[in-house]
Amino acid sequence: MKKEKIPQPTIERLPIYYRCILQMKAEGIRTVSSEELGRRIGVNSAQIRKDLTYFGEFGRRGIGYEIESLIEDIMRILGVTQERRMLIVGVGNLGTALLRHRGFSKEQFHIVAAFDSDPEKIGQEIEEISVYDLRLLDTIIKEKDIEVAVVTVPAKDAQRVVNQLVGCDIKGILNFAPTQVTVPENIKLRNVDLGVELLRLSYHLTNS
Amino acid sequence: MKKEKIPQPTIERLPIYYRCILQMKAEGIRTVSSEELGRRIGVNSAQIRKDLTYFGEFGRRGIGYEIESLIEDIMRILGVTQERRMLIVGVGNLGTALLRHRGFSKEQFHIVAAFDSDPEKIGQEIEEISVYDLRLLDTIIKEKDIEVAVVTVPAKDAQRVVNQLVGCDIKGILNFAPTQVTVPENIKLRNVDLGVELLRLSYHLTNS
DNA sequence: TAGATTGTTAATCGATTAACAATC
DNA sequence: TAGATTGTTAATCGATTAACAATC
């Protein structure tokens, strides 16, 4: 689909660029050079130019990048233009917070269903989103045409839930459970592990 | 303090190794080879051996690594042995979830105070942790000898709060606010941005 | 034209990995 | 001794960055 392989670090940085230029737009700025953008984000300006040219030529020599159009271009690259329906498995503290969190279920991602196996929680509504029995996963995913799953279950249940999701043809998973899970390579998996982040912080606090 | 510079990717991986061998210990496994550990985590075995030898010689040729002692060694490297007192600024959905989240405030990190500027929230207790007026930040940090701050305030307030924290001699910050904040270089900062993770997932879903 | 800044090449830097002597 | 696996070197791979022609 693409001519040249995009380096993983480039992909990791793109959303950061996107966030930064959105903020600049809000500040009323119209145009930005790679130099200025790099300064704000803390990366080399050549890096930014190179990252962007993997996807096209978005700047004007002597001028810089027009913010309005760069936003549109990066939106297209990231696929932000396409709406995506999302579910949450595990309506504990974190899951509930993410359900309530305005801004998590915003932009293109919409949480449309929640799941738990606790009978106390099943049937509840949180922010107008129904909590379903985990056993209905397959039915509801098909019914509501859901592509993405957020996993906020305890570590011990994570792999089982992920297996279930994979079986239901979910395309992407954002895993918050503090454990390594595996998926077939056609499924996109991203891990967000708060404990691991604390350990990394701990390392830096200890060794400096 | 260290002879050789430790590569950043090595530091990022160490907590992953730690998590994995903790789990193996729980499974009753006594010894592991770099080959087996690499297979579980999904990295090359030479990578693991190299990462570990930045810090010492922990294995035995022909045998592998003894899990019990490797855990102790990595704990020491990560500084997990040292208890650290932590606060949360911003008692919204996410902040409250983290306060309640058993396991976040476990191991060496203990949440000992929470802060907000909303009079409705100030004075409350969540999981036996008091919510203080943000203006008391300096006093309480000194009083309770707090080193680490978790920031869960809205994006627009993040930089101001971070500046306040820096002024109070906080040593490390875990920032959940979806915005780029800057700190002096002697302060350790880690960003966890859920929105950015969703954007990265979006990229992979769109381009594949 | 002069100044600014991109897109791109090529050099540099750094991280990963294959290979193997050391050794359990 | 034979087999396994580490620690470490050196080769490979890939990412970052300096430099500059193109061009606004």
Side-chain angles (χ1 to χ4, degrees):
Chain A
M1 197 181 183
K2 283 284 180 304
K3 293 135 201 181
E4 204 182 345
K5 199 194 158 292
I6 316 290
Q8 188 59 29
T10 296
I11 298 165
E12 303 282 314
R13 280 188 297 264
L14 268 187
I16 312 286
Y17 300 167
Y18 179 60
R19 276 288 170 81
C20 189
I21 56 174
L22 277 185
Q23 192 168 331
M24 292 180 79
K25 188 195 170 181
E27 289 171 20
I29 300 169
R30 309 291 277 273
T31 273
V32 66
S33 66
S34 57
E35 189 68 34
E36 167 66 8
L37 191 55
R39 206 187 47 67
R40 292 203 177 211
I41 295 171
V43 311
N44 186 290
S45 65
Q47 181 92 85
I48 290 180
R49 296 199 298 280
K50 188 147 224 297
D51 282 345
L52 291 175
T53 49
Y54 282 113
F55 302 99
E57 303 194 1
F58 304 126
R60 289 213 293 163
R61 288 161 201 240
I63 309 286
Y65 299 88
E66 207 222 310
I67 287 189
E68 186 67 41
S69 72
L70 187 57
I71 287 175
E72 279 173 31
D73 290 323
I74 300 186
M75 282 181 77
R76 198 163 21 74
I77 296 163
L78 293 177
V80 178
T81 43
Q82 189 181 342
E83 298 228 334
R84 300 197 184 270
R85 301 160 75 78
M86 190 159 69
L87 61 82
I88 284 194
V89 188
V91 187
N93 292 316
L94 188 57
T96 307
L98 295 180
L99 276 171
R100 293 225 167 90
H101 197 291
R102 325 237 110 261
F104 190 63
S105 178
K106 78 164 182 209
E107 298 179 20
Q108 91 265 42
F109 287 98
H110 300 276
I111 301 178
V112 297
F115 294 85
D116 208 296
S117 52
D118 179 353
E120 293 276 308
K121 287 172 182 162
I122 295 167
Q124 280 188 12
E125 275 209 358
I126 300 171
E127 302 282 308
E128 303 183 0
I129 294 155
S130 301
V131 179
Y132 297 99
D133 188 324
L134 189 49
R135 284 170 292 193
L136 297 178
L137 202 56
D138 199 51
T139 319
I140 308 276
I141 286 175
K142 256 103 210 181
E143 205 171 290
K144 294 190 186 264
D145 190 28
I146 298 171
E147 289 179 288
V148 176
V150 176
V151 174
T152 50
V153 301
K156 69 172 179 14
D157 303 325
Q159 185 65 62
R160 189 172 41 75
V161 163
V162 165
N163 291 347
Q164 262 185 282
L165 288 164
V166 167
C168 299
D169 266 343
I170 276 286
K171 300 206 187 81
I173 297 174
L174 195 57
N175 175 42
F176 286 84
T179 183
Q180 191 80 17
V181 297
T182 58
V183 293
E185 62 177 40
N186 62 319
I187 311 285
K188 312 301 171 190
L189 171 70
R190 293 203 64 93
N191 291 295
V192 180
D193 191 321
L194 309 181
V196 162
E197 284 302 325
L198 277 180
L199 290 171
R200 288 171 181 157
L201 189 58
S202 178
Y203 172 87
H204 290 291
L205 290 169
T206 309
N207 306 275
S208 59
Chain B
M1 196 181 185
K2 284 287 178 304
K3 293 135 200 179
E4 201 181 348
K5 200 195 157 288
I6 317 288
Q8 188 59 30
T10 295
I11 298 164
E12 304 282 314
R13 279 187 296 264
L14 268 186
I16 311 285
Y17 300 167
Y18 179 60
R19 276 289 171 81
C20 188
I21 57 175
L22 277 186
Q23 191 169 331
M24 293 181 78
K25 187 193 170 185
E27 291 170 20
I29 300 168
R30 307 293 276 271
T31 272
V32 65
S33 66
S34 57
E35 189 68 34
E36 166 66 6
L37 191 55
R39 206 188 45 69
R40 291 203 178 213
I41 295 172
V43 309
N44 186 291
S45 65
Q47 180 92 82
I48 289 180
R49 295 198 298 280
K50 188 146 225 294
D51 282 343
L52 291 174
T53 48
Y54 281 112
F55 302 98
E57 302 193 2
F58 304 126
R60 288 212 295 163
R61 290 163 200 240
I63 310 288
Y65 300 87
E66 207 223 308
I67 286 189
E68 187 67 42
S69 73
L70 186 56
I71 287 174
E72 279 174 30
D73 290 323
I74 299 186
M75 282 181 76
R76 198 163 23 71
I77 296 164
L78 293 177
V80 179
T81 43
Q82 189 181 342
E83 299 227 336
R84 300 195 185 271
R85 300 161 74 76
M86 188 160 70
L87 63 80
I88 284 195
V89 189
V91 187
N93 291 317
L94 188 58
T96 307
L98 295 180
L99 277 169
R100 293 226 168 91
H101 196 293
R102 325 237 110 262
F104 190 63
S105 179
K106 77 164 182 211
E107 299 179 21
Q108 91 263 41
F109 287 97
H110 301 277
I111 301 178
V112 297
F115 294 85
D116 208 297
S117 52
D118 179 352
E120 294 275 307
K121 288 171 182 163
I122 295 166
Q124 281 188 11
E125 275 208 358
I126 300 171
E127 302 281 309
E128 301 182 5
I129 294 156
S130 300
V131 179
Y132 297 99
D133 188 324
L134 190 50
R135 285 170 292 195
L136 297 177
L137 202 56
D138 199 52
T139 320
I140 309 277
I141 286 175
K142 256 103 210 179
E143 206 171 287
K144 296 193 186 260
D145 192 27
I146 299 170
E147 289 179 288
V148 175
V150 176
V151 175
T152 48
V153 299
K156 69 173 179 14
D157 303 324
Q159 185 63 62
R160 190 172 40 75
V161 162
V162 164
N163 291 346
Q164 261 185 282
L165 289 164
V166 168
C168 299
D169 266 342
I170 277 286
K171 300 205 187 81
I173 297 174
L174 195 57
N175 176 42
F176 286 84
T179 184
Q180 190 81 17
V181 298
T182 59
V183 294
E185 62 177 42
N186 61 320
I187 311 285
K188 312 302 172 190
L189 170 70
R190 293 202 63 92
N191 292 295
V192 181
D193 191 321
L194 309 182
V196 162
E197 285 303 325
L198 278 180
L199 289 172
R200 287 171 181 157
L201 189 57
S202 178
Y203 172 87
H204 289 291
L205 290 170
T206 310
N207 305 276
S208 58

